[in-house]
Amino acid sequence: MICKGLGLEKGYFEGEVSKTNVISVNHHIPCPNPSLTLGMPVHSDPNLITLLQQCDVPGLQILKDGKWIGVQLIPHAIVVIPGLQLKVITNDRFITPVHRVVTHAKEVRTTIGVFLGPSPKSLIKPATPLVRTEPEFRAFTYPEFLKTFTAGAKCDAQFALNHFRNKA
Ligand SMILES: O=C(O)CCC(=O)C(=O)O
Ligand SMILES: [Fe+2]
């Protein structure tokens, strides 16, 4: 579906670019005063794409126009979060949302995330059909990206993207 929307050949995201598959279960315990702590800090997912199964307790928020918006709870729906590699490969067409998880005063929140990401040897670069003049990013391997992303234990998406961005 993503390939079709972008005009890329079917199966473009199959193979090395989506070879790693990490399943993570997040168990957010209640916090009597949710203003004191977050369930998960502000971040952008560094992988290719994340598929998230929420439960019936709210908590996930996306930053939009400087405001935190709660992600709606729809029973059995999967939340699709484009990761930073999708932003690079689509040459900035995809937005990788900044998100966080707030705590709930009383309820436990358990979610299941499937994180699809590139294999270590996969070379990440903007897809040629999506580049008009110059690609926005230079080619890199996923381990190179993660090293920059996690430098100083910061998980700073803008820093990592700027590091690999071709300057005008
Ligand atoms: O638990 C959630 O709702 C979101 C988790 C998340 O953003 C992540 O694991 O990257
Ligand atoms: Fe996330």
Side-chain angles (χ1 to χ4, degrees):
M1 207 160 85
I2 293 177
C3 291
K4 204 170 176 186
L6 290 165
L8 291 174
E9 68 197 69
K10 199 172 163 216
Y12 191 91
F13 294 101
E14 283 170 18
E16 295 297 324
V17 76
S18 59
K19 196 149 202 170
T20 66
N21 179 340
V22 175
I23 298 181
S24 155
V25 177
N26 303 300
H27 186 68
H28 306 285
I29 56 171
C31 175
N33 182 350
S35 70
L36 290 180
T37 190
L38 288 170
M40 192 169 280
V42 177
H43 68 282
S44 291
D45 293 353
N47 51 305
L48 182 71
I49 198 161
T50 303
L51 307 174
L52 184 78
Q53 172 78 72
Q54 302 198 87
C55 61
D56 55 0
V57 178
L60 179 62
Q61 297 181 334
I62 302 276
L63 189 63
K64 185 168 187 290
D65 303 327
K67 288 201 181 100
W68 288 106
I69 315 275
V71 175
Q72 210 185 332
L73 296 172
I74 303 173
H76 312 299
I78 304 276
V79 179
V80 179
I81 306 177
L84 294 170
Q85 305 314 303
L86 199 55
K87 180 176 171 63
V88 170
I89 294 168
T90 62
N91 206 30
D92 266 343
R93 279 182 178 66
F94 263 74
I95 292 170
T96 300
V98 174
H99 54 285
R100 68 179 187 180
V101 179
V102 293
T103 45
H104 196 280
K106 293 198 180 82
E107 310 262 9
V108 165
R109 181 164 190 275
T110 305
T111 62
I112 304 168
V114 177
F115 296 80
L116 294 180
S119 76
K121 65 179 182 195
S122 163
L123 196 65
I124 307 297
K125 58 180 170 36
T128 310
L130 302 180
V131 175
R132 285 218 183 91
T133 46
E134 287 296 307
E136 291 294 331
F137 301 93
R138 62 187 164 89
F140 54 81
T141 64
Y142 193 43
E144 277 176 317
F145 186 90
L146 287 180
K147 201 172 157 203
T148 310
F149 181 70
T150 56
K154 277 218 180 99
C155 295
D156 187 334
Q158 281 319 315
F159 175 76
L161 289 171
N162 286 340
H163 183 79
F164 295 101
R165 194 176 277 283
N166 284 324
K167 306 287 179 297

